[in-house]
mmCIF file of all heavy atoms in Angstrom:
data_model
loop_
_atom_site.group_PDB
_atom_site.id
_atom_site.type_symbol
_atom_site.label_atom_id
_atom_site.label_comp_id
_atom_site.label_asym_id
_atom_site.label_seq_id
_atom_site.Cartn_x
_atom_site.Cartn_y
_atom_site.Cartn_z
ATOM 1 N N GLY A 124 -18.492 1.260 -36.207
ATOM 2 C CA GLY A 124 -19.938 0.976 -36.812
ATOM 3 C C GLY A 124 -19.785 0.306 -38.115
ATOM 4 O O GLY A 124 -20.801 -0.215 -38.591
ATOM 5 N N HIS A 125 -18.615 0.384 -38.958
ATOM 6 C CA HIS A 125 -18.583 -0.125 -40.270
ATOM 7 C C HIS A 125 -18.665 -1.634 -40.191
ATOM 8 O O HIS A 125 -18.887 -2.333 -41.130
ATOM 9 C CB HIS A 125 -17.297 0.277 -40.877
ATOM 10 C CG HIS A 125 -16.086 -0.245 -40.067
ATOM 11 N ND1 HIS A 125 -15.698 0.535 -38.961
ATOM 12 C CD2 HIS A 125 -15.130 -1.218 -40.332
ATOM 13 C CE1 HIS A 125 -14.544 -0.109 -38.510
ATOM 14 N NE2 HIS A 125 -14.206 -1.164 -39.270
ATOM 15 N N LEU A 126 -18.563 -2.191 -38.952
ATOM 16 C CA LEU A 126 -18.739 -3.604 -38.801
ATOM 17 C C LEU A 126 -20.234 -4.139 -38.774
ATOM 18 O O LEU A 126 -20.437 -5.414 -38.679
ATOM 19 C CB LEU A 126 -17.961 -4.087 -37.578
ATOM 20 C CG LEU A 126 -16.539 -3.821 -37.468
ATOM 21 C CD1 LEU A 126 -15.907 -4.117 -36.079
ATOM 22 C CD2 LEU A 126 -15.716 -4.458 -38.586
ATOM 23 N N ASN A 127 -21.045 -3.250 -38.644
ATOM 24 C CA ASN A 127 -22.517 -3.568 -38.565
ATOM 25 C C ASN A 127 -23.416 -2.755 -39.333
ATOM 26 O O ASN A 127 -23.035 -1.600 -39.912
ATOM 27 C CB ASN A 127 -23.012 -3.476 -37.077
ATOM 28 C CG ASN A 127 -22.498 -4.633 -36.140
ATOM 29 O OD1 ASN A 127 -22.820 -5.777 -36.239
ATOM 30 N ND2 ASN A 127 -21.530 -4.319 -35.275
ATOM 31 N N GLU A 128 -24.691 -3.212 -39.621
ATOM 32 C CA GLU A 128 -25.563 -2.522 -40.382
ATOM 33 C C GLU A 128 -26.139 -1.231 -39.658
ATOM 34 O O GLU A 128 -26.286 -1.339 -38.419
ATOM 35 C CB GLU A 128 -26.775 -3.398 -40.848
ATOM 36 C CG GLU A 128 -26.323 -4.652 -41.676
ATOM 37 C CD GLU A 128 -25.765 -4.100 -43.148
ATOM 38 O OE1 GLU A 128 -26.268 -2.927 -43.574
ATOM 39 O OE2 GLU A 128 -24.803 -4.665 -43.600
ATOM 40 N N PRO A 129 -26.504 -0.187 -40.337
ATOM 41 C CA PRO A 129 -26.935 0.942 -39.704
ATOM 42 C C PRO A 129 -28.189 0.646 -38.679
ATOM 43 O O PRO A 129 -28.267 1.300 -37.650
ATOM 44 C CB PRO A 129 -27.459 1.983 -40.826
ATOM 45 C CG PRO A 129 -26.585 1.487 -41.998
ATOM 46 C CD PRO A 129 -26.319 0.029 -41.791
ATOM 47 N N GLU A 130 -29.110 -0.193 -39.144
ATOM 48 C CA GLU A 130 -30.307 -0.399 -38.194
ATOM 49 C C GLU A 130 -29.818 -1.107 -36.953
ATOM 50 O O GLU A 130 -30.467 -1.018 -35.926
ATOM 51 C CB GLU A 130 -31.339 -1.254 -38.944
ATOM 52 C CG GLU A 130 -32.011 -0.505 -40.122
ATOM 53 C CD GLU A 130 -32.642 0.708 -39.557
ATOM 54 O OE1 GLU A 130 -33.310 0.857 -38.549
ATOM 55 O OE2 GLU A 130 -32.432 1.874 -40.101
ATOM 56 N N GLU A 131 -28.841 -1.845 -37.029
ATOM 57 C CA GLU A 131 -28.290 -2.556 -35.691
ATOM 58 C C GLU A 131 -27.685 -1.457 -34.963
ATOM 59 O O GLU A 131 -27.775 -1.569 -33.604
ATOM 60 C CB GLU A 131 -27.241 -3.741 -36.148
ATOM 61 C CG GLU A 131 -27.808 -4.812 -36.788
ATOM 62 C CD GLU A 131 -28.954 -5.563 -35.988
ATOM 63 O OE1 GLU A 131 -28.719 -5.663 -34.788
ATOM 64 O OE2 GLU A 131 -29.925 -5.882 -36.618
ATOM 65 N N LEU A 132 -26.996 -0.587 -35.477
ATOM 66 C CA LEU A 132 -26.343 0.438 -34.655
ATOM 67 C C LEU A 132 -27.471 1.366 -33.956
ATOM 68 O O LEU A 132 -27.442 1.780 -32.834
ATOM 69 C CB LEU A 132 -25.437 1.432 -35.493
ATOM 70 C CG LEU A 132 -24.341 0.708 -36.229
ATOM 71 C CD1 LEU A 132 -23.639 1.637 -37.140
ATOM 72 C CD2 LEU A 132 -23.471 0.070 -35.168
ATOM 73 N N LYS A 133 -28.531 1.590 -34.706
ATOM 74 C CA LYS A 133 -29.657 2.434 -34.161
ATOM 75 C C LYS A 133 -30.395 1.709 -32.937
ATOM 76 O O LYS A 133 -30.682 2.416 -32.048
ATOM 77 C CB LYS A 133 -30.646 2.725 -35.338
ATOM 78 C CG LYS A 133 -30.078 3.638 -36.297
ATOM 79 C CD LYS A 133 -31.129 3.903 -37.356
ATOM 80 C CE LYS A 133 -30.546 4.813 -38.526
ATOM 81 N NZ LYS A 133 -31.605 5.112 -39.495
ATOM 82 N N LYS A 134 -30.419 0.377 -33.064
ATOM 83 C CA LYS A 134 -30.843 -0.380 -31.859
ATOM 84 C C LYS A 134 -30.076 -0.175 -30.644
ATOM 85 O O LYS A 134 -30.617 0.156 -29.475
ATOM 86 C CB LYS A 134 -30.963 -1.842 -32.198
ATOM 87 C CG LYS A 134 -32.020 -2.253 -33.196
ATOM 88 C CD LYS A 134 -31.961 -3.785 -33.434
ATOM 89 C CE LYS A 134 -32.914 -4.255 -34.409
ATOM 90 N NZ LYS A 134 -32.779 -5.726 -34.677
ATOM 91 N N LEU A 135 -28.733 0.045 -30.738
ATOM 92 C CA LEU A 135 -27.895 0.262 -29.744
ATOM 93 C C LEU A 135 -28.134 1.647 -29.203
ATOM 94 O O LEU A 135 -28.234 1.855 -27.923
ATOM 95 C CB LEU A 135 -26.484 0.194 -30.132
ATOM 96 C CG LEU A 135 -25.984 -1.260 -30.551
ATOM 97 C CD1 LEU A 135 -24.471 -1.106 -30.982
ATOM 98 C CD2 LEU A 135 -26.146 -2.264 -29.526
ATOM 99 N N VAL A 136 -28.334 2.681 -30.044
ATOM 100 C CA VAL A 136 -28.582 4.038 -29.589
ATOM 101 C C VAL A 136 -29.911 4.174 -28.910
ATOM 102 O O VAL A 136 -30.018 4.822 -27.889
ATOM 103 C CB VAL A 136 -28.632 4.918 -30.841
ATOM 104 C CG1 VAL A 136 -28.845 6.299 -30.437
ATOM 105 C CG2 VAL A 136 -27.087 4.904 -31.510
ATOM 106 N N ARG A 137 -30.874 3.439 -29.421
ATOM 107 C CA ARG A 137 -32.178 3.461 -28.812
ATOM 108 C C ARG A 137 -32.213 2.864 -27.419
ATOM 109 O O ARG A 137 -32.851 3.444 -26.435
ATOM 110 C CB ARG A 137 -33.267 2.815 -29.622
ATOM 111 C CG ARG A 137 -33.473 3.534 -30.999
ATOM 112 C CD ARG A 137 -34.729 3.087 -31.706
ATOM 113 N NE ARG A 137 -34.928 3.636 -33.037
ATOM 114 C CZ ARG A 137 -34.571 3.252 -34.256
ATOM 115 N NH1 ARG A 137 -33.934 1.995 -34.210
ATOM 116 N NH2 ARG A 137 -34.687 3.766 -35.319
ATOM 117 N N SER A 138 -31.369 1.825 -27.230
ATOM 118 C CA SER A 138 -31.221 1.253 -25.899
ATOM 119 C C SER A 138 -30.528 2.167 -24.952
ATOM 120 O O SER A 138 -30.894 2.245 -23.714
ATOM 121 C CB SER A 138 -30.409 -0.127 -26.041
ATOM 122 O OG SER A 138 -30.191 -0.678 -24.618
ATOM 123 N N HIS A 139 -29.643 2.884 -25.578
ATOM 124 C CA HIS A 139 -28.871 3.837 -24.654
ATOM 125 C C HIS A 139 -29.841 4.959 -24.315
ATOM 126 O O HIS A 139 -29.789 5.458 -23.098
ATOM 127 C CB HIS A 139 -27.691 4.521 -25.515
ATOM 128 C CG HIS A 139 -26.964 5.558 -24.881
ATOM 129 N ND1 HIS A 139 -26.172 5.362 -23.738
ATOM 130 C CD2 HIS A 139 -26.830 6.940 -25.079
ATOM 131 C CE1 HIS A 139 -25.623 6.589 -23.342
ATOM 132 N NE2 HIS A 139 -26.022 7.477 -24.204
ATOM 133 N N ILE A 140 -30.637 5.440 -25.165
ATOM 134 C CA ILE A 140 -31.596 6.426 -24.853
ATOM 135 C C ILE A 140 -32.613 6.071 -23.725
ATOM 136 O O ILE A 140 -32.941 6.727 -22.765
ATOM 137 C CB ILE A 140 -32.424 6.918 -26.039
ATOM 138 C CG1 ILE A 140 -31.482 7.678 -27.042
ATOM 139 C CG2 ILE A 140 -33.607 7.698 -25.688
ATOM 140 C CD1 ILE A 140 -32.153 7.890 -28.475
ATOM 141 N N GLU A 141 -32.996 4.733 -23.767
ATOM 142 C CA GLU A 141 -33.792 4.252 -22.728
ATOM 143 C C GLU A 141 -33.123 4.306 -21.393
ATOM 144 O O GLU A 141 -33.760 4.661 -20.299
ATOM 145 C CB GLU A 141 -34.371 2.736 -23.018
ATOM 146 C CG GLU A 141 -35.317 2.803 -24.217
ATOM 147 C CD GLU A 141 -35.608 1.408 -24.467
ATOM 148 O OE1 GLU A 141 -35.197 0.464 -23.910
ATOM 149 O OE2 GLU A 141 -36.347 1.172 -25.550
#
Side-chain angles (χ1 to χ4, degrees):
H125 60 281
L126 300 174
N127 285 288
E128 295 298 321
E130 288 307 312
E131 293 300 318
L132 300 177
K133 290 179 182 180
K134 288 180 183 179
L135 297 176
V136 175
R137 293 188 183 102
S138 179
H139 176 66
I140 290 173
E141 290 178 3

